[in-house]
Amino acid sequence: MSTSTTADRRNVLGSKDRVKTAIAAAFGTSVENYDFIAYGTASALYFGAVFFPESDRFVGTLLSFATLAVGFVMRPLGGAVGGYFADKLGRKPVLVAAMIVMGAATFLIGVLPTYEQVGVLAPILLVVIRMIQGLAFGAEWGGAITMAYEHAPWHRRGMFAAIPQSGNPLGIALASGVFAWSDTLDGDWRWRTPFLLSAVLVIVALIVRSRLSESPEFQEAQASGKTEKNPFLATLANDWRGILRVIALRVVESFAYYSTATYLLSYITERHPDLRPVALGSITAASALAIVVTFLAGALTDRIGRRPIYIAACTAAVLFAFPMYMLTNSARPVLVVTVFIVGIGLIHASLTGTQGSLLTEQFRTATRTSGASLGYQVAAAIGGFAPLLAAALVGAFGWPGAALLYLGAAVIGLIGILTTKETWSRRERERVLVLVAEERRTRSLSVRPASDTLPSSPEDRWT
């Protein structure tokens, strides 16, 4: 990787917009997740009957989860396209465009005709809109994370990159809370209302994101001619190992969420319908806890490194695979709540809080969004099949089949992090802290040192 420019080095304390950028990225990410998660919740609770009523209940659930998976299949394409333009033209335009497309698609789901009204056209339209959702969601994540990361102080990049990640559980909490409320409404309004309400959130997010400044690191790379002519091809040619690492690290997190919040919700609803309000409320509470845990996990990585937290979370997922179904099968409300709190509020949140910096640091500035987005969304596409696979395995082997699926993903993640080098070692932390102290002292004296007296940017260690 090339040495950073002088302006890059002077940005060791972050840009003046670092806090605003991180919060705006988090708000936009929460809206994107609200839209995407709303579909998963509706798939678990309503879409089987609304769009596939001629099938029996089990087959209807499978078909509903199949349409959920279609969106995940499109996410790698969205990640590739979004990453290409973010590394080629800038991070900000991609964030705004993705928000517009995602918002429009989600609103359209809320006004879709049902199978009873238009027949087979209804599920066809549902699949098409779901594909558009997947493209937009795939394009969004990489830009949001890199914007927050590249505006941040070097010694606080774990914390700042975790702020947009905190938008994930915030969006989940919003979607779950709205569905818990809309479940009290009559008829189709129970599932239409959450999608229609997303229009308000999208408008607010667009206003916030349109006021962001472009990433300073990208501007420097662009000004110095260090951007790639084709970031996508450059990433595949030079950073394919990083992409594979991201896929392995991301699979466990994707399965941890969708196996819990989507499939387990359906599993509980089918076997214990009276527990559906408890399950929905538990997801909301767990997601609220996850907002805090995600942020704390990211902040902690700045102090002890990225790997220790990820190793601990993957190990916890391995140990939790079978107990989560044993506790759920008890049908005791307090144990059902515990499952969601541990699965989403602790395990999943610890993984997402670490990912912002850990996955981003696998790549250099010129291909950072392309590489991180592609690996992240390929893993998301795999994880998107978790509810469908879990439902099929339970149909064939009972609940142990779903537990083994969760366990397998957790093992992949554990292997992935054990074979990934630490990107924020103690030596690097100490080196950057010296640089931070020097820059603070320099600013207090209103004097800039010559560029050749400064250590290289922390990104140079990833070559």
Side-chain angles (χ1 to χ4, degrees):
M1 183 176 303
S2 58
T3 303
S4 294
T5 63
T6 301
D8 274 334
R9 298 175 184 183
R10 291 177 180 176
N11 201 42
V12 62
L13 296 181
S15 75
K16 61 182 179 62
D17 294 332
R18 56 189 180 275
V19 175
K20 180 177 70 174
T21 299
I23 293 175
F27 186 79
T29 301
S30 69
V31 176
E32 293 272 357
N33 273 273
Y34 172 95
D35 291 351
F36 208 71
I37 299 307
Y39 192 101
T41 305
S43 295
L45 300 180
Y46 305 111
F47 284 175
V50 172
F51 291 99
F52 309 101
E54 291 189 349
S55 305
D56 63 41
R57 189 169 185 177
F58 176 70
V59 175
T61 299
L62 288 179
L63 290 174
S64 179
F65 284 149
T67 62
L68 175 69
V70 166
F72 286 92
V73 172
M74 300 303 295
R75 284 176 64 167
L77 178 58
V81 173
Y84 174 89
F85 285 110
D87 286 332
K88 185 77 172 178
L89 304 177
R91 322 306 195 198
K92 179 180 174 179
V94 174
L95 293 183
V96 174
M99 180 64 63
I100 293 173
V101 175
M102 187 70 169
T106 303
F107 183 82
L108 287 175
I109 292 176
V111 298
L112 271 181
T114 65
Y115 186 93
E116 183 180 352
Q117 294 171 322
V118 297
V120 71
L121 179 62
I124 292 175
L125 290 174
L126 183 66
V127 169
V128 171
I129 295 176
R130 180 61 178 171
M131 293 172 68
I132 296 172
Q133 265 197 329
L135 286 171
F137 196 73
E140 196 274 344
W141 180 85
I145 293 298
T146 52
M147 278 282 278
Y149 181 89
E150 292 172 352
H151 275 274
W154 289 0
H155 63 305
R156 291 290 182 266
R157 281 180 157 172
M159 183 185 75
F160 274 80
I163 294 175
Q165 291 290 78
S166 296
N168 295 338
L170 177 58
I172 294 167
L174 286 173
S176 300
V178 171
F179 267 99
W181 164 73
S182 68
D183 195 46
T184 64
L185 302 178
D186 296 326
D188 286 348
W189 290 112
R190 290 182 298 173
W191 65 268
R192 292 189 186 277
T193 302
F195 293 102
L196 297 176
L197 287 177
S198 71
V200 178
L201 298 175
V202 169
I203 291 172
V204 175
L206 278 174
I207 294 173
V208 172
R209 281 194 168 180
S210 65
R211 297 177 179 176
L212 294 179
S213 59
E214 183 57 83
S215 159
E217 285 193 23
F218 173 79
Q219 289 179 323
E220 285 300 321
Q222 191 176 47
S224 60
K226 293 178 180 178
T227 56
E228 295 286 351
K229 183 177 181 179
N230 190 320
F232 177 72
L233 294 180
T235 302
L236 292 180
N238 304 319
D239 298 324
W240 60 270
R241 292 180 182 85
I243 294 173
L244 292 179
R245 282 194 295 270
V246 169
I247 292 173
L249 295 171
R250 163 75 166 135
V251 160
V252 56
E253 179 261 312
S254 185
F255 269 77
Y257 177 76
Y258 288 103
S259 293
T260 308
T262 301
Y263 177 70
L264 198 60
L265 175 61
S266 175
Y267 179 88
I268 292 171
T269 300
E270 288 182 1
R271 287 156 181 78
H272 310 287
D274 56 313
L275 288 178
R276 182 164 75 174
V278 173
L280 284 170
S282 299
I283 294 175
T284 304
S287 299
L289 172 63
I291 297 170
V292 178
V293 174
T294 299
F295 176 80
L296 292 178
L300 188 58
T301 67
D302 288 325
R303 295 182 176 274
I304 67 174
R306 323 300 189 201
R307 290 181 80 244
I309 297 176
Y310 219 81
I311 291 172
C314 288
T315 302
V318 169
L319 298 175
F320 190 58
F322 279 83
M324 67 185 290
Y325 283 94
M326 293 177 180
L327 295 174
T328 298
N329 289 335
S330 72
R332 295 178 59 184
V334 65
L335 296 182
V336 170
V337 172
T338 300
V339 167
F340 286 108
I341 291 294
V342 174
I344 297 175
L346 298 178
I347 295 176
H348 181 257
S350 297
L351 293 169
T352 56
T354 310
Q355 282 179 354
S357 53
L358 176 64
L359 305 189
T360 302
E361 288 170 350
Q362 306 302 316
F363 307 94
R364 56 197 174 95
T365 301
T367 59
R368 179 171 290 153
T369 313
S370 295
S373 292
L374 187 58
Y376 189 92
Q377 302 304 345
V378 168
I382 298 171
F385 284 91
L388 179 64
L389 293 174
L393 288 171
V394 169
F397 307 107
W399 68 265
L404 285 171
L405 181 68
Y406 185 100
L407 176 63
V411 170
I412 291 174
L414 185 58
I415 294 173
I417 188 60
L418 290 176
T419 56
T420 297
K421 292 182 179 179
E422 177 62 74
T423 56
W424 190 233
S425 64
R426 180 176 181 178
R427 180 179 179 183
E428 288 298 328
R429 296 196 299 273
E430 292 174 348
R431 186 174 74 90
V432 169
L433 286 175
V434 170
L435 179 55
V436 167
E438 290 178 354
E439 182 64 12
R440 285 174 174 166
R441 186 164 53 250
T442 298
R443 291 190 182 188
S444 68
L445 298 174
S446 299
V447 176
R448 292 283 185 184
S451 62
D452 58 3
T453 66
L454 290 173
S456 59
S457 163
E459 77 167 28
D460 291 340
R461 68 182 181 273
W462 303 314
T463 54

